[in-house]
Amino acid sequence: MPFAHRGLAALAASVLAVTLLAAPTQAAEVVIRPASGRVTVEGHGFGHGRGLSQWGAYGAANKGLSWQEIIDFYYPGTSRRALRDSPIRVQISADNDNVVEVHPVEPLTFSSGTVKVELPTGARYDGWRVARRPAGLELQRLDDGQWSVWYAAGTLGPDAAFSAASGSVRLVLPSGTRREIRGVIRAVPEATTTRLYSVAVLPMEQYLRGVVPREMPAGWEDDALRAQSVAARTYAARLRAGATAKLWDTCDTTACQVFYGTAEYDASGNLLRSNEHPRTDAAIAATNEVVLYFQNSSGNQQLALTEFSASNGGWTAPGSSAHPYLVAKADPYDGRMASGVHTWRQTVDLSRLEKAYPAIGSVRQVSIDQRNGYGDMGGRVLRMTVVGSKASVTITGDDFRRVMNTSTTPFRSNWFRFIDTAAFPRDFSGDGRADVIATEPSGALWLYPGDGSGSFGRRTQIGYGWYTRNLISQVGDWDGDRAQDILARNPATGNLWLYRGDGRGGFGRQGSIGGKWWSVNAMLGVGDWNGDKRSDVLARLSADGSLWLYPGNGSGGWLTPRQVGRGWAGMDLLTAAGDITGDGAMDIVARRAGSGSLWLYPGNGKGGFQAARQLAGDFSGLTALVGPGDWDGDGFPDLLGRERNGDLLLFASTAAGELKQPRQVGSGWSGYTLVP
């Protein structure tokens, strides 16, 4: 019985002329675009993951940690002190119609330059607004649906403000909603454009009353709300400290932190939504502190950058070296409370990449090339490559998240992996490059790693005793563990054996998964042949040359097989080719015995075939043919063929699904059986 090493054996001298390359620091993860264009991803967390996790704070408070302990966990090495309440300037992004309009539910005070006046009320005064004219700001009043000038341009100062004795002003948004905001509403022009902005100016503690319940559910644990209050206060104070030359200190969206003011009303004055809550008000009042850190050896303390996100997925993400308190570490609290963001799944359409990066043409495959190394999956995605029919582009995990994120398909973070298990990379070593596996008469099983550019790395023996196996085939991830596996038949018993790859060029456990395979004379692992995102196998019967699809169930077994072709007995070379045609469906290539002609049989992505066509060239001298995937690194799947003299030829494919002129990439292969 063959034995599969759990670890890599000692390196043996290669029979090929090879170029030795240093091992990559991290394996790439490749997904081939399926016919549907849609792939499924699994991810962790919601947001960037730096600093405080809101779901983690909830879990920590539930476990009994105080808000001080929560702050110390998420911002280690920091200290705290009280902060004097003082105003902060907040840009109201929803008010983007270039006027600043307020609703007069009570007498308003208007001030601009030397003008300061209490505005009249009554039936003739339905609204007030500041507009921008070439000569300066202009105050207008609304009467019976008509606006008229109250203070002409040139009579006012460089900006203007509305305030009320109650301490709140209702800002009219372009949607017609009235947003009530504590403090003063200012009309602030931008000097270099014609834009006019609405900016709320209010005390920090009043501002936080409109922030904390928008950032964290008010029904959560008290100490979670208190920790959020401290993080939000510190974050706003730091932005304010660095915004002295700007028109505002902070914005009101997730780009800063969410602020919706006190409440929202319709045009008739009916309350639509209250944006404050007594529990978060109490949490804010109980924590009049900010987070500090020592910036340098002189001991100067600075406000910390207290970033936070909804969920870090169980591992905090590191910040820059300028923020040493934003560390990467396991978070035992994020995930303690059930949520849909600690771990999530989403199906996305890769065609969105074509719209975002039109120069690439049609997407053929996407690879994850680098992660940050922290937590499950190897951590957050740092670098990816999108290979198209015309060009390739390198993007970040955040770029991919931005492109894929929609209101109906939220893509929550840059910590994710593709979970489609039926790709066709032929990557047994786990380095993101296509490999070749071969046996020799002694029964040794050899791994020949590709270098990603059309040549080989140094071969490694990964098993022995394989002379007791035949019909050996690479079948992708057959058991759902995201590592490439091998199926092989024992000709003495007819049993089919599954050899589970470990994702590093070796094997885990093995076992029989079926019997009575004597009647099969060809077997091909074809990737996802039927479009169900699971690896499949095509098998040819000896008796009549019929071709059968054995759909994988994604966990190491089969679904019901069915016949998908007949008349295949006349093919003397048969191999899985990956997606030669570039339509997202897997294809196979076969040579017709006696003619030397090679034919492409495109799959339809649903378990059947499209019309076959002949590939140009003379292939009569070949004695073996395998599809290793993308052997030369250009994004298109290739073929390797062995000639009678033992030379190995590369038949690179093109974007049009044709084969280029072959070139020799090895010699001395006469005694080897290539594993398709």
Side-chain angles (χ1 to χ4, degrees):
M1 174 180 234
F3 177 78
H5 289 292
R6 292 183 179 274
L8 295 179
L11 297 178
S14 176
V15 298
L16 303 178
V18 299
T19 301
L20 300 183
L21 299 177
T25 57
Q26 188 165 339
E29 306 160 55
V30 181
V31 63
I32 307 298
R33 176 178 178 165
S36 67
R38 296 174 64 80
V39 297
T40 303
V41 296
E42 180 180 74
H44 290 309
F46 189 3
H48 52 65
R50 296 186 295 273
L52 181 139
S53 161
Q54 291 166 326
W55 276 95
Y58 184 21
N62 178 266
K63 186 174 175 61
L65 273 69
S66 68
W67 68 264
Q68 295 94 334
E69 290 172 320
I70 296 171
I71 290 294
D72 290 345
F73 175 80
Y74 287 110
Y75 309 108
T78 59
S79 60
R80 297 180 303 277
R81 67 167 169 79
L83 180 72
R84 181 176 61 87
D85 194 13
S86 55
I88 186 169
R89 303 171 299 166
V90 187
Q91 189 237 342
I92 308 303
S93 60
D95 194 17
N96 55 9
D97 57 0
N98 229 34
V99 295
V100 179
E101 180 185 350
V102 295
H103 186 63
V105 293
E106 60 177 307
L108 297 170
T109 296
F110 173 79
S111 57
S112 179
T114 60
V115 175
K116 184 173 183 180
V117 60
E118 183 174 300
L119 300 176
T121 59
R124 297 182 55 200
Y125 306 98
D126 298 325
W128 297 93
R129 75 179 185 185
V130 174
R132 189 172 183 180
R133 299 289 181 260
L137 300 184
E138 180 178 272
L139 178 64
Q140 302 173 351
R141 68 157 180 152
L142 179 65
D143 179 17
D144 197 23
Q146 300 294 319
W147 289 99
S148 60
V149 176
W150 192 262
Y151 277 94
T155 63
L156 300 177
D159 57 21
F162 295 99
S163 59
S166 66
S168 297
V169 178
R170 291 190 186 178
L171 178 67
V172 181
L173 302 179
S175 64
T177 300
R178 275 68 170 153
R179 180 170 294 177
E180 186 170 277
I181 299 174
R182 299 181 186 276
V184 174
I185 298 297
R186 293 181 60 202
V188 181
E190 188 172 49
T192 57
T193 70
T194 59
R195 290 293 309 274
L196 185 66
Y197 295 97
S198 295
V199 178
V201 183
L202 68 167
M204 174 70 80
E205 299 305 297
Q206 299 301 315
Y207 159 72
L208 293 175
R209 294 177 65 183
V211 170
V212 178
R214 302 275 65 80
E215 290 287 357
M216 182 175 284
W220 283 9
E221 303 279 354
D222 287 338
D223 279 290
L225 299 175
R226 292 166 183 167
Q228 177 66 67
S229 300
V230 173
R233 180 184 293 111
T234 309
Y235 189 83
R238 181 183 171 100
L239 291 180
R240 180 177 63 186
T244 55
K246 299 179 181 178
L247 302 180
W248 52 79
D249 302 318
T250 187
C251 64
D252 62 350
T253 69
T254 54
C256 304
Q257 51 189 3
V258 179
F259 170 74
Y260 281 178
T262 303
E264 294 186 13
Y265 298 83
D266 64 17
S268 301
N270 299 309
L271 179 66
L272 299 176
R273 180 177 66 184
S274 176
N275 295 324
E276 298 178 349
H277 195 280
R279 294 195 74 239
T280 52
D281 286 350
I284 294 164
T287 58
N288 184 29
E289 292 188 2
V290 289
V291 182
L292 305 172
Y293 78 104
F294 289 106
Q295 185 182 32
N296 51 45
S297 58
S298 65
N300 294 331
Q301 284 189 315
Q302 301 290 327
L303 288 163
L305 179 64
T306 49
E307 291 184 290
F308 53 86
S309 60
S311 167
N312 60 33
W315 200 286
T316 60
S320 71
S321 58
H323 312 122
Y325 44 85
L326 297 177
V327 301
K329 63 179 179 178
D331 182 354
Y333 310 115
D334 192 309
R336 176 181 172 86
M337 313 303 290
S339 75
V341 294
H342 179 77
T343 298
W344 48 269
R345 285 192 178 188
Q346 187 58 269
T347 299
V348 296
D349 194 333
L350 294 181
S351 66
R352 295 184 62 83
L353 292 168
E354 299 166 0
K355 297 176 182 178
Y357 307 101
I360 66 174
S362 299
V363 173
R364 297 184 70 98
Q365 69 179 47
V366 181
S367 66
I368 296 174
D369 305 321
Q370 185 180 11
R371 296 178 177 272
N372 70 3
Y374 300 114
D376 185 32
M377 313 175 192
R380 293 174 179 265
V381 176
L382 301 180
R383 188 179 70 245
M384 305 178 68
T385 300
V386 182
V387 178
S389 59
K390 298 179 181 178
S392 299
V393 63
T394 299
I395 63 175
T396 67
D398 284 321
D399 292 333
F400 189 81
R401 178 194 179 195
R402 172 183 54 80
V403 171
M404 294 301 166
N405 187 51
T406 70
S407 59
T408 56
T409 57
F411 203 96
R412 301 189 184 280
S413 77
N414 63 357
W415 188 0
F416 61 89
R417 66 183 166 201
F418 299 112
I419 62 170
D420 298 274
T421 61
F424 193 82
R426 288 296 194 258
D427 172 27
F428 195 75
S429 62
D431 64 358
R433 300 162 179 165
D435 303 320
V436 169
I437 295 176
T439 63
E440 60 182 349
S442 68
L445 187 70
W446 294 92
L447 171 67
Y448 292 88
D451 69 357
S453 63
S455 297
F456 291 88
R458 180 176 293 171
R459 73 172 185 166
T460 303
Q461 186 175 352
I462 58 174
Y464 61 85
W466 283 73
Y467 52 79
T468 64
R469 296 291 183 265
N470 64 4
L471 289 185
I472 306 168
S473 180
Q474 299 184 70
V475 291
D477 177 17
W478 192 255
D479 58 359
D481 64 356
R482 292 176 294 279
Q484 301 289 304
D485 305 317
I486 289 177
L487 288 180
R489 181 183 65 184
N490 183 338
T493 65
N495 286 341
L496 195 68
W497 286 71
L498 170 63
Y499 294 85
R500 293 176 170 86
D502 62 8
R504 301 183 299 277
F507 293 96
R509 59 191 177 90
Q510 54 192 276
S512 175
I513 62 169
K516 301 182 180 180
W517 278 72
W518 296 289
S519 60
V520 174
N521 63 10
M523 181 176 67
L524 302 175
V526 289
D528 180 16
W529 188 257
N530 61 2
D532 66 356
K533 301 184 183 300
R534 294 185 285 248
S535 292
D536 304 317
V537 161
L538 289 178
R540 183 179 64 186
L541 299 188
S542 306
D544 60 2
S546 60
L547 200 64
W548 288 72
L549 169 65
Y550 285 79
N553 64 9
S555 59
W558 313 96
L559 300 175
T560 303
R562 61 184 175 88
Q563 185 175 342
V564 294
R566 63 183 60 187
W568 287 80
M571 304 298 180
D572 61 353
L573 294 180
L574 185 64
T575 192
D579 180 19
I580 290 280
T581 59
D583 63 357
M586 298 295 104
D587 308 317
I588 62 176
V589 170
R591 186 179 68 179
R592 293 185 179 175
S595 70
S597 61
L598 200 65
W599 288 76
L600 173 66
Y601 291 84
N604 63 11
K606 301 176 182 179
F609 291 93
Q610 303 179 64
R613 62 180 172 86
Q614 186 175 353
L615 295 170
D618 180 11
F619 304 91
S620 59
L622 298 182
T623 60
L625 186 69
V626 295
D630 179 17
W631 188 254
D632 58 5
D634 64 356
F636 308 119
D638 306 311
L639 298 176
L640 289 173
R642 183 184 62 202
E643 293 192 298
R644 293 188 181 94
N645 63 2
D647 289 345
L648 199 66
L649 302 181
L650 169 65
F651 296 88
S653 73
T654 69
E658 300 294 341
L659 298 181
K660 299 178 182 179
Q661 287 296 312
R663 65 180 176 90
Q664 184 178 345
V665 293
S667 60
W669 283 82
S670 296
Y672 288 79
T673 299
L674 304 182
V675 176

